[in-house]
Amino acid sequence: MTKEQEINLNPNPNDSEEKVSDQIQIRLDKLKALQDAGADPFLETSYEVTEHTAEIVEDFDRMAGKIVKVAGRIMSKRGMGKVSFCDLQDRSGKIQIFTRVNDIGEESYAKWQEFDIGDIVGVEGEVFRTKRGEISIRNSKFTLLAKSLRPLPEKFHGLRDTDTRYRKRYLDLIVNPEVKETFEKRSLIIRAIRNELEDRNFLEVETPLLNLIPGGAAARPFITHHNTLDLDLYMRVSPELYLKRLIVGGLERVFEIGRNFRNEGMSVKHNPEFTMMEVYQAYTDYHGMMELAEALVVRACKAVNKGSTIINFQGVEIDLTPPFARITMSDAVREHSGLDFSVIEDAQQAKQLAREKGVEGIEEHMGVGDILELCFETFAEPKLIQPTFVLDYPIEISPLTKKKPGQPHLTERFELFIYGSEFGNAYSELNDPLDQEERFRAQMAKRQAGDDEAHLQDDDFVEALSHGMPPTGGLGIGIDRLVMLLTDNPSIRDVLLFPTMKPLGGQAADNQTPSSSAEDDKTSGQFPTGSQKLDLSKVKVEPLFADMVDFETFSQSDFRVVKVLNCEEVPKSDKLLKFTLNDGSGTDRIILSGIKEHYKAEDLIGKTLVAITNLPVRKMMGIPSQGMVISAVYEHDGKEGLNLLILDDNIPAGAKLY
RNA sequence: GCACCAUUAGCUCAGCUGGCAGAGCAACUGACUCUUAAUCAGUGGGUCCUGGGUUCGAAUCCCAGAUGGUGUACCA
C-alpha cells in the first residue's frame, strides 16, 4: 500500500527510484496518522451540503445567524494562534471559515490545524461577519472528506505555464477562477443556441461519428477500425450529408451540436476535434439562414454578456447587433484591393492581376474562382472585423451548394466573418441529384489528381436526394470559435477543457506501431493519373507563350534525362518527394518536388525522367534541391492535372534534350 | 523544416561583464484569540532541461540535442 503510494505519487514518474518530495511525504505521513487513528478521510462517503458559498455571501442578510453546512477545498490558511482563518472554495465561490479553540475545544482545534491547503472538508457553523467585515462561517463542526497529497500551485500567481494548464486542467480550474467562468459561459452559449433552435421548432438529432464515407467538408479524416467487421471506418468531418438525408426523410427542421474530427494542422484557431452546430431548415434558403445566424449569435451573446450585443474582443469593440453587414465576395475583394472580378474574363487574366497586387500562393492550375478566393483571403478577410456575411462563393469550392440563378459560376453560399475569422458557413442546399452527382464527380477527379481533401463521392446520399429534397437552407456555426469570441479568449485551447496535446517525453513512439499501412491505404487508389480517362472537353491548357526565345537562350537550359535511384517522402511535408537521381555525371543529384499528391514515392524508383539541372540550388524543408523534375500540367474540369514525364528506360542517364 | 523565445526549489520568478544558488508563496519549528497575498523569529528543500566544449572557475560563454511556446514555410 505504502509502496504503491510512493510510486504513484512520485513527482517525476521517469525516475524509477523513489524520490518523493518532502511536502508530499509530510502529507502522506499525516494521512497515515489519520488512518491509524481510525479517521481515514477516504472512508467518508457523503456530506449533506445545505448551502453553497456564493449564496451565503450574496444573501448575507437572510443567511446571517443561520447554521449552515458547506463543503469544499481549503485554499489558504491564516493562523493566529488560538484562532485561525481559512478560505473554503466550492463550485460557486469562496467563503472564509473562522475557527476558534473556544468553539471546538483544544483537541479538535489541533486536528483542524493539521489540515493542509488543498484538503477537501465539510464545515458546519453559524454565518456571521467578522470585525473586519468579512462574511464567514464560525466553525463548530468539521469533517475531512479527502486528503490532498500534493501541494497546489501558488495562491497568488496561480498556475501560469500554459502547457501545464492544458494538460492538468483540474489544477487550472482550482486556482484560476476565470477559467471556470469561461467554461460556465461555454455551457450557457450552447444552451442559448439550443433554446433558440427549440423555440423555432427544430428537432435535435444525433448522426454517426463513425462514417464509411467521411463527407460534407473538404478535410482529411481520421481513420479507425472496427474489429468484428474488420472494417476501416472514418471519424466524421461533418454531419452535413446525414442531416440532409433527414430533410429528405421529412423532418423539415433538424440540428445537431457535436464533435467533428479533421486530421489537419493545429493552430490557435484549430483543434483536431472541435464542436460544430449544424442546422437544416426546409423551405428556406441562405437568406433564411442569415436571419437564423444572426438570431443564434445574438442569443448566445446576450446569454453571457449581461443582455448586451456589444462585446470587446482582444481590446476591439465588436457590435453584434443585427442586421450584420452583407457583401458579395467579389465586392469585398474589389473594395479592399480594387480588383474587379466581374470584368475578368479568364484565369490567366485573374492570375496576372492578382500577381500585380502582390498576392502570394498563386498556382498555374488555379481557376478564376480559386484566384477570387485567394484574393478574398489576402485582402478582405483580415479587414472584416465587424460581423459580415460574405455572399456568393465560387462553385469550384462549393460542391454541395445550389448555383446562383443566372450566374452558374457562383453559388448561394455565405460565410460569416467576425474579427477576420470564419464563424459560420451556410448554403442554399443543392437538392438537384443530377447536379450533385456531377459535382461529386468533379471532386473525385480532384481527388484522383491527388487532392486528398476533396469531397468523396457518396452515392447513397445522391440516391437520397433523388427521392426529392425540398429546397433547404443549411447553416454551420463553429461553437469553439463563438465561445472564444464571446469569452474574449484568443486561443481555441482556452475554450476546450482538454485540448489535444502532444504526449510528453518520448512516449509517443511507444504507442505507435511503425506500420506504414495507413499511409499506404491513403495513397493507394490515387495513382496514377495516366490511367484515368480524361474528358478532353474539360481539359484546359495554358496559352502558348507569345514571346520568342532565341535558340542560344533555350540551349542554356540544361534539360537532362535522369534515372531515379531512390525516391522517398520528405518527413512532415505534405507535398514533397525527395529524388536521388543519376544525371550521368557520376555524382548523385538530389531534387525535391511537390508531387506527393500525385505519385507514390516507391512507384517512381527506377523510372527514367527529365530534369532541368542548371537552376540555382533551392532549399525546401531545409534540404537543398538541385533542379526540377519536369511534369506536364494542365487543368481538367477546373482541377489541376499533372503527369510526370516518364521516358523509355533505354534512354541513358545524362542525355541532353534539345 | 527554418527563425525567435523559454526551461533555475512543489508554484511564480530573479540571478548583470563568468566568481559560494537567490526571493516571495508553499512546507517544517516556534510566537500570536478577528486575519484576509496575516505578521514575526528560525529551519529544511536544487540533476540550474540533457550532453559535450572553452576556462583556474560555467546557471551565465560556445556547440549539439530534448521539451514547450510563438511566428513562418512546405513552391510545376
Side-chain angles (χ1 to χ4, degrees), chain A residues 494-530:
Chain A
D494 291 323
V495 301
L496 297 169
L497 281 168
F498 300 100
T500 304
M501 300 291 282
K502 219 161 103 171
L504 282 177
Q507 20 178 291
D510 298 346
N511 294 334
Q512 313 282 339
T513 45
S515 96
S516 57
S517 63
E519 200 70 19
D520 292 346
D521 290 348
K522 209 174 66 187
T523 36
S524 62
Q526 298 183 352
F527 169 85
T529 15

Side-chain angles (χ1 to χ4, degrees), chain A residues 465-512:
Chain A
L465 285 189
S466 71
H467 285 282
M469 183 173 87
T472 297
L475 166 71
I477 290 180
I479 297 293
D480 308 294
R481 297 220 185 136
L482 187 61
V483 175
M484 286 164 65
L485 181 76
L486 297 180
T487 58
D488 196 17
N489 275 302
S491 167
I492 195 169
R493 292 181 161 193
D494 291 323
V495 301
L496 297 169
L497 281 168
F498 300 100
T500 304
M501 300 291 282
K502 219 161 103 171
L504 282 177
Q507 20 178 291
D510 298 346
N511 294 334
Q512 313 282 339

